[in-house]
Amino acid sequence: EAMQQELVKRCAAFRVEDDTPGTACVEFTSAALLFLWACSFAGQLMYSTSQCAQMLLHRIGRTLDQRASGAVIASCAVVLPLSGTPPDGDDGDLPSVILELPDRFVLYKPPGWQVDDGQDDPRDKPERDRLSSFVHLLLPPQRWPIVDDVQHQRGFLHRLDVPSSGLVLVAKTHEAYYDLKLQLAMGSLVRDYVVLCHGWLSPGRSEVKARVHWWADGRQSLSSVAAAGRPARTLLKVLAHVLHDGQSLSLVAVRIDTGRRHQIRTHLAHIGHPTVCDGKYSSVATQLASATDVMAPAGQPRAQRGQRHQVITGIPIPLAAALGRTSPRDSASAAEVERWLRTPGCFSSDLPDWDAC
């Protein structure tokens, strides 16, 4: 409580002026968000602390937007050219916009594409497979400066492993970026995935709680469970047990309470159930379906203010094809597999969410 009171004092004392160095804002907000996350993770975050931090973060974001563009753009909308289901055929591996709000959107990332947020990006990745190149087509940097701002991860709120498919949140403005970062720190932004992993995972296993450590030498390094790592928690729901060529496999719903590097793959490998076709963490590229739950910004019209938006993508077509060649262990598994195979590669609110799994 004393530490949170100190943060409130520092937030109140922090002055955001036109000449405040951008690095000072980034350093302060990064430290504040990390502290807020720690309090939330421990279940000790006070309402007054979160409200004070929210006001400051929005003020910093608005100032950075005005400084970058010379005009307030937080309330301006842009019409994105791609939306809905990813294209079929030869172009089926292209990203697409699934949900668009005035200052943020949800982007579908196909397998093979890199979320290049400017933080230790590998240099050998082709330009066509960088997600920032796709975002540039939608949001010209001259109009939306954050997409070129590596200090703010080019607007990307989080990463998704290159071999994985799934949903990525992207901010169009600095104000939206900090609003979403706050949601992420406070645990109000939910990310769920469906994973095919080796072995028959026990339905009684509902959580993996183990620290995840990685070396700061680029994205190619492996993460590992180690005492020196950061706290990490992954929630599990076993959906089905299946067989494929004599191998036992599990279809598992996963919710990550934290977003450590390669967390899902590291945690599942740690408990002896590595994800299928994972060259990094098993001896045998991860395919994921995903869902995200994000709240609209407070600046939206009253009808939308504080409104939660849930976006769910079905399992990707390659995973659906592989799952279709398996034999369910029992009738319950057969019913669950059939449910997921009905909508491969689709985006629909009819797909089962975390509570329905």
Side-chain angles (χ1 to χ4, degrees):
E1 183 177 351
M3 293 174 69
Q4 292 187 63
Q5 290 173 351
E6 177 64 22
L7 176 61
V8 169
K9 291 179 182 178
R10 295 195 183 192
C11 286
F14 192 86
R15 292 290 176 261
V16 187
E17 309 294 346
D18 290 340
D19 58 350
T20 303
T23 52
C25 293
V26 171
E27 289 174 0
F28 183 85
T29 54
S30 297
L33 286 166
L34 183 59
F35 177 71
L36 289 169
W37 173 86
C39 292
S40 177
F41 190 73
Q44 299 295 324
L45 182 61
M46 298 189 301
Y47 178 77
S48 58
T49 307
S50 63
Q51 288 299 104
C52 182
Q54 182 181 47
M55 289 188 291
L56 176 62
L57 290 172
H58 283 186
R59 194 162 71 247
I60 289 176
R62 196 175 302 114
T63 299
L64 292 175
D65 285 331
Q66 292 173 331
R67 184 184 302 174
S69 64
V72 178
I73 61 176
S75 61
C76 298
V78 61
V79 177
L80 303 179
L82 294 178
S83 62
T85 304
D88 297 323
D90 295 338
D91 295 328
D93 61 346
L94 288 177
S96 58
V97 175
I98 309 308
L99 172 69
E100 182 197 0
L101 298 175
D103 61 353
R104 64 200 72 190
F105 62 97
V106 178
L107 187 65
Y108 169 74
K109 185 195 88 68
W113 285 71
Q114 175 195 318
V115 184
D116 55 322
D117 57 8
Q119 315 298 315
D120 55 59
D121 294 338
R123 299 180 179 179
D124 58 347
K125 194 69 178 171
E127 190 70 24
R128 71 168 297 275
D129 293 333
R130 295 176 182 265
L131 213 55
S132 66
S133 299
F134 182 82
V135 171
H136 277 194
L137 296 176
L138 308 178
L139 306 176
Q142 299 85 350
R143 176 73 173 119
W144 309 95
I146 194 172
V147 301
D148 267 348
D149 186 350
V150 295
Q151 284 190 315
H152 293 87
Q153 300 174 232
R154 295 183 174 134
F156 294 117
L157 262 293
H158 54 93
R159 293 176 176 177
L160 195 56
D161 297 345
V162 171
S164 304
S165 65
L167 303 175
V168 177
L169 272 165
V170 188
K172 301 178 188 178
T173 68
H174 292 86
E175 186 174 2
Y177 175 84
Y178 281 121
D179 178 67
L180 288 168
K181 277 292 186 181
L182 184 63
Q183 290 186 43
L184 201 59
M186 294 171 56
S188 58
L189 197 157
V190 179
R191 290 171 290 169
D192 301 331
Y193 302 89
V194 172
V195 185
L196 191 64
C197 65
H198 287 279
W200 283 343
L201 183 61
S202 169
R205 186 74 187 243
S206 61
E207 180 185 65
V208 181
K209 198 172 182 179
R211 289 176 173 266
V212 174
H213 175 73
W214 62 92
W215 299 101
D217 58 353
R219 298 190 187 206
Q220 305 308 315
S221 62
L222 292 175
S223 298
S224 61
V225 170
R230 292 186 176 182
R233 182 167 57 210
T234 302
L235 304 180
L236 307 172
K237 287 186 178 182
V238 178
L239 304 179
H241 287 160
V242 298
L243 286 165
H244 178 67
D245 289 340
Q247 294 188 58
S248 57
L249 306 172
S250 296
L251 188 67
V252 184
V254 172
R255 169 168 288 184
I256 52 175
D257 271 2
T258 51
R260 307 307 179 198
R261 182 179 297 181
H262 302 167
Q263 177 176 319
I264 295 175
R265 299 156 72 187
T266 302
H267 271 180
L268 287 175
H270 174 64
I271 62 173
H273 296 276
T275 51
V276 170
C277 299
D278 190 341
K280 277 182 178 286
Y281 294 94
S282 69
S283 57
V284 252
T286 310
Q287 299 272 357
L288 305 178
S290 70
T292 186
D293 188 3
V294 59
M295 188 176 292
Q300 293 302 306
R302 184 174 300 276
Q304 301 178 19
R305 195 171 303 168
Q307 178 183 351
R308 287 191 176 276
H309 296 267
Q310 185 179 68
V311 187
I312 306 177
T313 162
I315 59 176
I317 292 175
L319 178 56
L323 195 58
R325 293 193 295 269
T326 64
S327 302
R329 181 186 183 185
D330 50 38
S331 58
S333 295
E336 192 65 33
V337 169
E338 174 61 26
R339 176 161 70 164
W340 283 95
L341 288 180
R342 282 199 296 266
T343 52
C346 295
F347 306 93
S348 169
S349 58
D350 296 331
L351 289 165
D353 60 11
W354 179 261
D355 294 332
C357 286

